Amino acid sequence: MRFTKVAAVGIGVAAAAAMGFSGSGEASAALLLSSSYPHTQSLSNGTVAVKVTNKTSKTATCWLSVHKASDETELKMRATAVNAIIATGIESGVLDSVREDAAEGALKVVWNGKSIAKDGSSTGWWASGRTDTSYAIYQECTTPDPILGLTINGLAQVYTVTGTGKSPDSPDDSGNGSLAGLFGGLLG
């Protein structure tokens, strides 16, 4: 599985970079607390809504994806790999690759580098058209840290949203579910 190899490389690079920072006398980043990027989430009639607030003093860049609830444990491991790289304080190709792994297999990538202003918030939506009553959410936000001379600091986190799925007998207006699929199959 691609995640395992990249995560192992990413964690190794993060550990080496952290040792390099501490050995050279330069600062290394600390992961921010989840209170830096609080969220609220809901699931109603198959529509997932996640509101993320940026409580930092700089503009945040955020990634958000919706996954099957059964993927939560694996997503937490992926978030740990992302956090290991964020802790180096440096944007890198390895971080980009581990971010891609975190989004792999997502039912929906809602944000891919969304900007949220200082003390601002943004809400991501997905009208799933699915009957699922629970999903795992991957959220990552980063901000620059010019005071410490770091490119980024931030946090990747995973949490669950529960609620009501789309009723199988209600009309599908999302373009993602059964009626769109049925007509697309008949016409295509």
Side-chain angles (χ1 to χ4, degrees):
M1 179 188 229
R2 183 175 153 211
F3 163 73
T4 307
K5 291 177 187 173
V6 171
V9 167
I11 291 170
V13 168
M19 288 189 305
F21 280 139
S22 62
S24 65
E26 295 178 33
S28 64
L31 288 175
L32 298 179
L33 300 174
S34 56
S35 59
S36 298
Y37 309 107
H39 54 81
T40 56
Q41 65 275 2
S42 65
L43 171 59
S44 179
N45 195 30
T47 298
V48 176
V50 178
K51 180 180 179 182
V52 177
T53 302
N54 176 13
K55 295 286 188 180
T56 70
S57 62
K58 304 287 180 198
T59 297
T61 304
C62 298
W63 291 259
L64 186 71
S65 53
V66 181
H67 302 257
K68 291 184 272 182
S70 60
D71 292 343
E72 185 174 6
T73 301
E74 183 177 348
L75 273 178
K76 286 182 178 179
M77 290 188 295
R78 293 176 181 192
T80 298
V82 169
N83 284 333
I85 310 252
I86 289 174
T88 67
I90 301 170
E91 285 278 0
S92 68
V94 174
L95 178 56
D96 292 341
S97 182
V98 176
R99 277 183 181 137
E100 287 177 20
D101 284 341
E104 188 175 306
L107 295 170
K108 177 70 175 179
V109 173
V110 180
W111 295 337
N112 188 8
K114 168 96 173 148
S115 292
I116 302 177
K118 165 189 140 174
D119 296 324
S121 63
S122 188
T123 302
W125 303 86
W126 178 45
S128 73
R130 297 169 60 104
T131 59
D132 303 54
T133 58
S134 183
Y135 294 100
I137 306 292
Y138 171 85
Q139 173 192 318
E140 177 201 340
C141 294
T142 60
T143 52
D145 190 351
I147 293 170
L148 294 177
L150 304 170
T151 306
I152 57 164
N153 58 17
L155 180 69
Q157 54 188 317
V158 176
Y159 47 89
T160 303
V161 61
T162 58
T164 59
K166 182 101 172 160
S167 172
D169 58 351
S170 65
D172 181 18
D173 57 2
S174 68
N176 295 318
S178 58
L179 292 179
L182 174 66
F183 290 118
L186 292 174
L187 299 176

